[in-house]
Amino acid sequence: MKRLYFLNRTLCAGLMVCSLFTFATASATTTAVKDNTQRKSVAAAPANHSQIVGMWEVTPKGSYAIVRHAKTRQEYKVGFKVDEHDDYKLMPIDLKTGELFDLRYTLGHDDDDLDDELHRYEFHRNGRLYVYEKEDNGRWKREDDGGTYSFRHDGFTIKIDGDRAKQYQIRFLSDNEFELTQTKFSDRDLRRVAVKKVLRYVRVNRK
């Protein structure tokens, strides 16, 4: 009788251990799937040449950057506005007040902007692109040097002739707008303070 009682207890204990192992495995699997889903959410949006062909203009509306102090690591989210009196630069602003965000005072940066200005990209079907900048007279002028663009499994690459290639993620791409996210910066000073830049583009025309 005691032997049978002992066997019953052993069997129950074994079943409990198996149940706990199964639950732990299921929990780990669920967490892994959730993590993978989160990682997929920051991957490049599927796109192809035909979707992006045409001319696009960057817009401050919806564009922003995450910047941080190099020593304290304190982060700030800033918006942009166009400075029509200084080469149409995209100047960082405080999203709450709309006032200029002082990169020098707040972050110790050595410049007043994040190296962006009002511009247009003209994408061609053959992978070529051209950059247009706005002149003081308000007209758009195409830069002499063109460049190339390409879609890759890990993002979107733009290389202007004479400059280093820049890596982006396309957050979304529709008929009338798309968004580029940049988290890798070749400029050392910019890399110290910029965590992420998100630039929104609106379509000007189709090719």
Side-chain angles (χ1 to χ4, degrees), residues 61-141:
K61 186 177 181 180
S63 297
Y64 67 92
I66 304 296
V67 294
R68 70 183 170 201
H69 193 284
K71 293 183 178 180
T72 66
R73 316 301 283 180
Q74 175 69 42
E75 294 188 353
Y76 306 86
K77 182 177 181 179
V78 298
F80 292 105
K81 74 174 182 179
V82 178
D83 187 347
E84 297 181 356
H85 305 289
D86 187 8
D87 296 328
Y88 293 93
K89 291 180 179 179
L90 292 183
M91 302 301 294
I93 60 171
D94 187 310
L95 288 172
K96 293 182 179 179
T97 65
E99 300 295 324
L100 286 176
F101 185 89
D102 194 333
L103 295 175
R104 296 178 186 271
Y105 175 78
T106 310
L107 306 180
H109 189 41
D110 61 355
D111 208 341
D112 296 321
D113 61 88
L114 295 173
D115 199 25
D116 291 297
E117 60 186 39
L118 194 63
H119 63 271
R120 288 179 175 179
Y121 283 141
E122 184 180 56
F123 297 98
H124 291 247
R125 293 184 182 278
N126 60 0
R128 293 289 296 174
L129 71 85
Y130 295 93
V131 181
Y132 291 74
E133 294 184 353
K134 203 167 188 179
E135 297 184 303
D136 293 338
N137 59 14
R139 296 180 179 179
W140 290 93
K141 179 183 178 182

Side-chain angles (χ1 to χ4, degrees), residues 156-204:
F156 181 70
T157 301
I158 289 179
K159 186 179 188 308
I160 307 299
D161 292 351
D163 294 335
R164 292 183 178 181
K166 293 183 178 181
Q167 304 290 332
Y168 300 93
Q169 296 286 328
I170 293 185
R171 307 304 302 165
F172 69 86
L173 173 59
S174 66
D175 288 340
N176 298 313
E177 60 181 353
F178 77 94
E179 193 174 88
L180 289 181
T181 296
Q182 184 181 13
T183 55
K184 297 179 180 179
F185 306 94
S186 57
D187 183 85
R188 184 177 63 180
D189 292 331
L190 186 60
R191 191 165 57 239
R192 289 178 61 251
V193 299
V195 178
K196 177 171 67 173
K197 286 197 295 185
V198 179
L199 297 181
R200 181 78 59 90
Y201 291 80
V202 294
R203 185 184 289 279
V204 178

